[in-house]
Amino acid sequence: MPPRRRISAGSGGTVRPAARFCAEPMGARCALRATVPKGGRPDDMMLWIILAAMTAIAALAVLGPMARARQTSLSAADRDLAVYKDQLAEIDRDLERGVIGLREAEAGRTEISRRILKAARGGEATAGAGSGRRGRIGAIVAAVGLPAVALGVYLSTGAPDLPDQPLSERLAARPEQADIDNLVARVESHLMQNPEDGRGWEVLAPVYLRLNRPADAAQAFRNAIRTLGTSPRRQSGLGEALTVVAGGIVTAEARAAFEAALAAEPGLVAARMYLNLALTQEGRHAEAVAAWRTMIAGAAPDAPWLPTAQRELAAAEIAGGLPPSGQPAPAGQPAPAGQAGTAPPDKAAAAPGPSADDVAAAAGMAPEDRTRMIEGMVARLSERLDQGGGSVDEWSRLIRSLAVLGRKDEARAAALKAREAVKSSADDLARIDDLSKGLGLAL
Amino acid sequence: MIVEIGHYALVLAFALALVQSILPVWGARTRDAQLMAVAGPAALAQFLFVALAFGALTWAAVVSDFSVANVFENSHSAKPLQFKISGVWGNHEGSMLLWVLILALFGAMVAAFGRNLPETLKANALGVQAWIASAFLLFILATSNPFQRLSPAPMEGRDLNPILQDWGLAIHPPLLYLGYVGFSISFAFAVAALIDGRIDAAWARWVRPWTLAAWVFLTLGIAMGSYWAYYELGWGGWWFWDPVENASFMPWLSGTALLHSAIVMEKRNALKVWTILLAILTFSLSLLGTFLVRSGVLTSVHAFATDPARGVFILMILTLFIGGSLALFAWRGSTLTQGGIFAPISREGALVFNNLFLTVSCLAVFVGTLYPLVLEAVTGDKISVGAPFFNVVFGIIVVPLLLVVPIGPFLAWKRGDLGAVAERLAVALVVALVVAAITGWISRGVAPVLAALGFGLAAWLVVGALAEFAFRIRLFAEPIGTSLRRARGLPRSAWGMTIAHVGVGLSVVGIVAESAWKTEHILIMKPNDTVEVAGMTVQYQGSAPRKGPNFQEQTGVFAVSRGGVLLTTLRPAKRFYPARQMPTTEAAIGQFDLYASNLYISLGDAQTDGGMAVRIYWKPFVNFIWYGCVVMALGGFVSLSDRRLRVGAPVPARLAGRVPVGAAE
């Protein structure tokens, strides 16, 4: 395994969750938590009725005994007497059933009689029935306090709009999923009998990956390669499966697979992206930035993977303490040209970024220190732009930096300010909007 | 909808617990019957709602509703049904829910069976019980809510930790919690007595059965945990002095002390203050166990939660309850009246001895468990206090205690006669010495001293307990028919004591045999290799892959034969659970000597040359460790079934003098 250096965007110590480039941005596997769907279902009304009934039962459990106690309240001595009589009766019952001997029963009776005498002497003050005031307070607690606490807590923690979603219902709602499970089971049993059927493995492997069974997927890709020979798609799939198995780390084995895939088919986007990611994970930030820029430069403007690539580019830039896009690339690296979010080199040259010294200093720092330094630079930039305004490139840099640092709200605020600042130019406005959209900021 | 009903039920239970914390206690202070009457029904309703919540979570797990985060994180649609159910408490949130379910269950039982209790005692005890419930329900709702939802629901769950996919999980935690939480009743009654400022006879009568019930469950829970670790972890050990094990062992030690001191209190009206203190300490140690396991202070298979916020929360609960109850004890303890004087050589004296040694052994475990943690927190140094420390220190303390166990029951209350006791125990002493000599001679090459002392002690315990029983029914002194009639007439609590003390002896047999006579073979075997173990031939016949519902496994096949006769075939396995990417070891355990001894085989890694790393242990009489625990628990059950516990009428001293009386008569 290569050094398990992980990308540290945001704070120095955070570990990125398993990186998986999602084809569908809201796919269930990628987005675990999303907004709760709002909407009135007939179930909703039913739920509230049941909750109300439960509340009533709880309140009655408190109010009921209070009401009964008022009717039957006895003095302490009376109550003790009742207890002792009960005990005497119990002794008789036990004696009848033969669970205790005559002698023990006699001893028990004597003991209890002694207690009865003691109780009759009345050692204790008489307990009153509930005073009116205390009773009223108790009733208020039960009738008002209890539902208030319950509702207050539930409304802040519960999700009353969310229906139950047992697996069977979810499968029924998405028949294709049930079909997939059937299909997988059929193909699996077929392959159990015919393990040399490469086409079966080939069909199954990507399905495994989608079902979040990466280890099975990797094995299936290997089997497909073993039986059908290598191909760029199989190698790339194998690499992806291995990466997911390793929790998002592009292992040496995965990298070899991606490299094999690219050697045969240089245009394979996924393999290229994982290799770029591997560069960042190994701490080769400058190379990663260059690779991302090259890739973005060659992309069609509507390529679905472009936002992801831009996000990773920004992350690589931050992690490496490199000048964000829009700056002239360091000598010897191909300059990006004409993609969304970056300016043509000639215009960008005017925007002051971190000095060469800053970059050199950042490269040798511990991740925490580097993050602190980056945050310092972002703060300075933000202050300067707030006071004196700046070019669209500087605004873009600020927005992206904030977004990459995970400070989405500030990024959004900066984007709004930027729009205000550059509203005179339609081109600049569009650039800010594109960038915001790419970073997932809703303006 | 069901999930949300469950969530709301949990919230309602919290609100009810709050009401139950305040109104009855207030009522008890002001002698207000109306307010005190709230306690019982509120406790019953609280149990109803917690049970509803638990049922809803179980339902979500069974139908694989992955919109519940807890189910998504700990379940898998392919998991077998029994593990879907037991997996409900195989994680932090769910197990806390089980914890409060059992707490509410005990509260409801006090409410249901407590008709005989004086009203103020009942109101106060249920109020204290509700304080605990409120604190833990708040903890669950604030930091560990099992009803958090995910939307959209993920297609597949992350599966349960494979080590926990076992029948052990279905049994071990519920039993353990019944024990831990059961001690909350003794605690609640102790605090209620302190609040009230008096200990009446009802207190003494109530504490013993409840403590006994909790103790029985805790005994079984710990034994089950030990057995589970033995067969699942593949190390062949049964007790590791792991901090988590110690966390459950400490309440057991102090609970055992409490059990015995409660006898003195019930019989002789003595040791009242000490019993209250023990009740507080026992439950405090249960809470400490919960804290150690849940706070992330320890790393182990039990440490589900490593969220520091949870640790801080539990620490606050811990401080509040332990500190509060001890402060209350310091304040009110001196007002409680002491009663009953006794000579040092007496039944009471023996039980005080028992308490002293149990408490000190508990302290030793406490220090050994917490010292490394405290040291690391203060100085950052990591030290580990391991089995050698515990074996030596705990052994030194517990051996004198075990030596006295058979003597105690022979002593009369108030004042005993050691000379007479020695006479009656002569048989047991002779048997013990003979057993020691024989076992020492048998194991002369291995560990003669350990074997001789250990087996001698075990024989002393078993024969001593039986001798007491025989003496009591006047076996051989009167015709056998009379003796049998006397045995039938003996109170069940006396039966229970004899059975439990025999159980202790049986466990000692298992522990000593396993320590002195076990053999261990760690080797690499190729197919058809053989190895000689304890006079048997174990042949490795090869291994084959197999597919389970949610795992794959590699199973090794071992033929065990003696003198060419095949005795059994053992199939240990290494499993791999893809959803969690985790391997587990499934040891194969062959039963020999009438289910007393084990041949234990577990697989290591496969070698590149076709060989297989194999560990083979011969564990003679190891099962006695757990049989002994089960027998102890059985003794507890028998004693618990004694009807007179509920009436609690003591036998007058006149009668007690004529008939030798049992520990709990």
Side-chain angles (χ1 to χ4, degrees):
Chain A
M1 252 199 200
R4 283 167 62 107
R5 184 90 57 91
R6 300 192 179 194
I7 300 177
S8 51
S11 76
T14 57
V15 172
R16 264 164 57 92
R20 178 96 207 278
F21 298 117
C22 296
E24 344 132 52
M26 288 299 291
R29 286 186 316 280
C30 304
L32 276 184
R33 201 175 280 266
T35 51
V36 174
K38 300 275 173 195
R41 271 176 297 272
D43 265 7
D44 284 0
M45 207 53 228
M46 198 60 210
L47 175 70
W48 288 112
I49 292 170
I50 292 174
L51 298 193
M54 286 163 65
T55 318
I57 292 173
L60 279 178
V62 179
L63 288 174
M66 286 177 69
R68 278 197 302 279
R70 189 197 296 276
Q71 292 149 16
T72 61
S73 85
L74 298 165
S75 79
D78 290 343
R79 275 199 312 277
D80 282 352
L81 217 57
V83 168
Y84 293 138
K85 277 184 185 152
D86 193 36
Q87 289 183 345
L88 278 177
E90 193 167 358
I91 289 183
D92 290 339
R93 278 201 304 277
D94 285 350
L95 188 60
E96 243 168 65
R97 276 192 287 170
V99 283
I100 60 172
L102 194 62
R103 211 163 28 188
E104 285 100 334
E106 207 42 60
R109 284 205 197 96
T110 317
E111 168 70 19
I112 291 167
S113 308
R114 231 182 262 144
R115 288 178 202 160
I116 290 179
L117 285 178
K118 200 174 160 200
R121 278 201 295 275
E124 219 175 279
T126 306
S131 80
R133 191 178 59 88
R134 282 196 293 270
R136 269 197 302 282
I137 294 178
I140 291 171
V141 165
V144 182
L146 189 127
V149 169
L151 260 188
V153 174
Y154 178 70
L155 285 181
S156 65
T157 58
D161 308 334
L162 214 55
D164 292 331
Q165 297 173 47
L167 187 70
S168 53
E169 266 177 38
R170 273 177 293 135
L171 288 181
R174 288 171 56 178
E176 77 278 8
Q177 181 66 39
D179 291 349
I180 288 172
D181 286 350
N182 275 333
L183 181 77
V184 168
R186 267 213 308 277
V187 177
E188 272 176 345
S189 65
H190 166 76
L191 285 173
M192 204 85 98
Q193 311 298 321
N194 311 287
E196 297 304 306
D197 179 1
R199 284 195 37 81
W201 291 116
E202 172 124 50
V203 169
L204 195 54
V207 179
Y208 274 143
L209 205 48
R210 279 203 43 158
L211 294 178
N212 204 13
R213 291 165 63 179
D216 289 332
Q219 196 53 48
F221 277 120
R222 281 206 193 95
N223 286 337
I225 291 169
R226 177 171 54 81
T227 45
L228 300 179
T230 184
S231 91
R233 303 259 158 210
R234 284 168 212 149
Q235 291 288 1
S236 172
L238 173 62
E240 185 172 2
L242 291 170
T243 305
V244 177
V245 168
I249 304 292
V250 183
T251 61
E253 202 185 351
R255 202 176 46 194
F258 289 129
E259 276 161 1
L262 280 181
E265 190 181 331
L268 213 52
V269 171
R272 173 84 59 204
M273 288 177 84
Y274 276 108
L275 280 179
N276 293 355
L277 189 65
L279 291 173
T280 314
Q281 286 173 356
E282 285 162 36
R284 291 150 69 185
H285 299 297
E287 290 167 63
V289 168
W292 283 117
R293 284 185 183 156
T294 316
M295 193 172 172
I296 290 170
D302 57 349
W305 49 266
L306 204 51
T308 310
Q310 277 160 353
R311 212 161 44 236
E312 292 298 335
L313 168 60
E317 285 166 349
I318 295 282
L322 297 169
S325 309
Q327 298 313 302
Q333 291 184 7
Q339 72 271 35
T342 30
D346 56 335
K347 259 169 87 182
S355 67
D357 287 346
D358 286 346
V359 176
M365 279 177 173
E368 295 84 357
D369 294 335
R370 194 185 300 148
T371 310
R372 208 171 308 129
M373 172 179 162
I374 290 164
E375 281 177 338
M377 290 196 298
V378 170
R380 283 199 298 280
L381 178 61
S382 163
E383 205 176 314
R384 186 157 53 75
L385 290 178
D386 269 348
Q387 285 164 5
S391 71
V392 67
D393 293 308
E394 288 173 294
W395 280 112
S396 304
R397 178 142 49 89
L398 177 65
I399 295 165
R400 186 169 338 164
S401 306
L402 288 169
V404 169
L405 288 171
R407 289 146 67 179
K408 290 263 177 195
D409 290 335
E410 289 175 67
R412 192 174 302 120
L416 290 172
K417 276 189 211 150
R419 290 196 52 160
E420 196 59 30
V422 300
K423 65 186 170 198
S424 51
S425 153
D427 275 357
D428 288 351
L429 261 183
R431 269 186 58 193
I432 297 286
D433 286 349
D434 283 348
L435 175 66
S436 305
K437 203 153 55 168
L439 294 171
L441 304 172
L443 289 185
Chain B
M1 195 165 75
I2 292 175
V3 173
E4 291 304 312
I5 290 174
H7 191 172
Y8 187 69
L10 192 64
V11 174
L12 261 184
F14 170 63
L16 267 171
L18 283 182
V19 172
Q20 191 193 328
S21 311
I22 301 162
L23 294 188
V25 179
W26 187 31
R29 281 218 75 72
T30 57
R31 309 270 162 206
D32 185 321
Q34 235 184 333
L35 293 181
M36 286 194 280
V38 169
L44 290 169
Q46 188 196 323
F47 172 63
L48 171 81
F49 287 120
V50 178
L52 203 60
F54 192 82
L57 189 63
T58 309
W59 180 85
V62 169
V63 301
S64 296
D65 185 342
F66 298 133
S67 72
V68 180
N70 182 259
V71 176
F72 159 69
E73 276 158 16
N74 299 292
S75 196
H76 191 282
S77 62
K79 197 165 67 167
L81 179 65
Q82 68 267 28
F83 299 143
K84 280 183 185 166
I85 296 172
S86 63
V88 170
W89 57 82
N91 59 80
H92 168 72
E93 291 86 357
S95 67
M96 284 317 296
L97 193 59
L98 180 68
W99 207 97
V100 294
L101 176 69
I102 292 173
L103 187 71
L105 170 71
F106 277 110
M109 278 160 68
V110 171
F113 301 128
R115 276 172 292 113
N116 279 359
L117 284 173
E119 261 179 74
T120 51
L121 180 63
K122 184 176 169 185
N124 275 329
L126 283 175
V128 173
Q129 187 82 1
W131 296 348
I132 305 168
S134 309
F136 277 92
L137 283 167
L138 182 64
F139 170 70
I140 292 178
L141 288 169
T143 71
S144 327
N145 194 332
F147 291 105
Q148 291 237 313
R149 304 293 297 273
L150 294 173
S151 177
M155 217 45 228
E156 194 44 271
R158 293 212 185 126
D159 209 352
L160 183 67
N161 182 341
I163 291 176
L164 301 180
Q165 295 194 27
D166 188 279
W167 280 107
L169 178 68
I171 307 168
H172 166 61
L175 282 177
L176 204 61
Y177 287 4
L178 279 168
Y180 272 172
V181 182
F183 286 126
S184 72
I185 298 286
S186 327
F187 174 84
F189 273 87
V191 174
L194 287 173
I195 292 174
D196 232 11
R198 69 197 187 97
I199 307 176
D200 44 57
W203 196 91
R205 256 182 297 136
W206 267 73
V207 164
R208 207 174 91 76
W210 288 94
T211 307
L212 190 53
W215 179 88
V216 164
F217 288 122
L218 190 59
T219 305
L220 289 174
I222 292 175
M224 181 67 219
S226 154
Y227 189 64
W228 187 13
Y230 171 71
Y231 73 72
E232 178 69 28
L233 295 181
W235 307 334
W238 52 274
W239 190 263
F240 304 96
W241 294 107
D242 174 276
V244 172
E245 292 173 323
N246 294 346
S248 69
F249 195 44
M250 288 187 279
W252 188 85
L253 289 170
S254 68
T256 310
L258 173 62
L259 195 62
H260 289 88
S261 81
I263 297 171
V264 180
M265 189 173 72
E266 190 184 343
K267 292 288 136 211
R268 297 279 302 126
N269 213 16
L271 296 186
K272 284 198 270 192
V273 179
W274 168 244
T275 305
I276 289 214
L277 182 62
L278 266 185
I280 290 174
L281 286 181
T282 302
F283 185 61
S284 300
L285 288 169
S286 299
L287 285 180
L288 180 75
T290 309
F291 166 71
L292 286 180
V293 175
R294 300 320 172 92
S295 59
V297 171
L298 303 173
T299 326
S300 94
V301 66
H302 298 80
F304 310 122
T306 44
D307 179 354
R310 290 171 177 168
V312 171
F313 203 120
I314 295 195
L315 192 61
M316 277 163 55
I317 296 179
L318 197 70
T319 317
L320 196 70
F321 280 98
I322 300 180
S325 55
L326 287 178
L328 190 66
F329 179 80
W331 178 40
R332 302 293 292 249
S334 56
T335 67
L336 301 173
T337 49
Q338 285 285 14
I341 45 166
F342 51 86
I345 303 291
S346 63
R347 181 78 68 82
E348 294 95 321
L351 289 168
V352 168
F353 182 89
N354 149 306
N355 268 233
L356 191 67
F357 276 76
L358 280 173
T359 319
V360 171
S361 65
C362 182
L363 185 70
V365 176
F366 185 85
V367 169
T369 308
L370 289 193
Y371 178 65
L373 297 175
V374 173
L375 190 71
E376 191 187 336
V378 175
T379 66
D381 295 342
K382 273 185 194 280
I383 63 158
S384 117
V385 175
F389 166 84
F390 288 108
N391 286 342
V392 169
V393 174
F394 190 74
I396 286 175
I397 299 169
V398 99
V399 165
L401 174 62
L402 294 180
L403 284 176
V404 172
V405 165
I407 299 175
F410 271 113
L411 288 166
W413 293 102
K414 271 176 141 173
R415 179 172 299 127
D417 179 357
L418 261 189
V421 173
E423 212 172 284
R424 287 163 195 162
L425 274 170
V427 177
L429 188 64
V430 169
V431 172
L433 290 176
V434 169
V435 167
I438 293 174
T439 48
W441 187 76
I442 288 176
S443 63
R444 57 196 175 283
V446 203
V449 179
L450 173 66
L453 290 183
F455 286 113
L457 179 63
W460 168 246
L461 280 165
V462 173
V463 180
L466 294 176
E468 194 267 345
F469 192 77
F471 171 72
R472 198 189 282 226
I473 64 172
R474 307 186 76 82
L475 191 68
F476 308 130
E478 286 185 26
I480 192 81
T482 319
S483 290
L484 284 180
R485 214 167 29 250
R486 279 177 155 273
R488 242 198 334 272
L490 269 190
R492 294 204 195 146
S493 55
W495 278 90
M497 179 198 69
T498 303
I499 296 172
H501 285 179
V502 168
V504 177
L506 294 182
S507 282
V508 172
V509 170
I511 293 168
V512 173
E514 200 268 352
S515 315
W517 292 344
K518 73 167 171 231
T519 58
E520 187 175 329
H521 307 260
I522 300 177
L523 67 168
I524 304 231
M525 296 180 89
K526 288 188 180 167
N528 296 323
D529 279 1
T530 60
V531 59
E532 294 292 319
V533 179
M536 293 179 286
T537 308
V538 178
Q539 184 186 40
Y540 174 53
Q541 300 187 319
S543 72
R546 206 174 70 83
K547 196 166 155 49
N550 52 347
F551 59 85
Q552 294 117 34
E553 66 178 11
Q554 191 74 19
T555 312
V557 180
F558 293 82
V560 183
S561 56
R562 185 187 283 140
V565 183
L566 182 70
L567 297 173
T568 182
T569 305
L570 296 178
R571 294 190 169 78
K574 271 192 95 75
R575 282 190 189 163
F576 182 73
Y577 287 76
R580 284 256 173 165
Q581 297 286 311
M582 266 180 77
T584 67
T585 309
E586 302 294 317
I589 299 175
Q591 304 286 352
F592 295 92
D593 305 336
L594 299 173
Y595 287 89
S597 309
N598 287 169
L599 182 67
Y600 183 112
I601 304 184
S602 76
L603 292 184
D605 294 323
Q607 309 294 309
T608 43
D609 60 354
M612 178 73 82
V614 178
R615 271 177 296 176
I616 305 178
Y617 303 91
W618 170 245
K619 306 227 163 223
F621 303 108
V622 67
N623 284 350
F624 271 74
I625 297 172
W626 302 293
Y627 291 156
C629 294
V630 172
V631 171
M632 272 187 249
L634 183 71
F637 269 124
V638 170
S639 181
L640 198 56
S641 71
D642 194 320
R643 290 285 303 170
R644 287 165 321 144
L645 286 174
R646 288 185 53 192
V647 178
V651 176
R654 182 172 47 83
L655 295 171
R658 222 158 6 146
V659 183
V661 284
E665 195 173 323

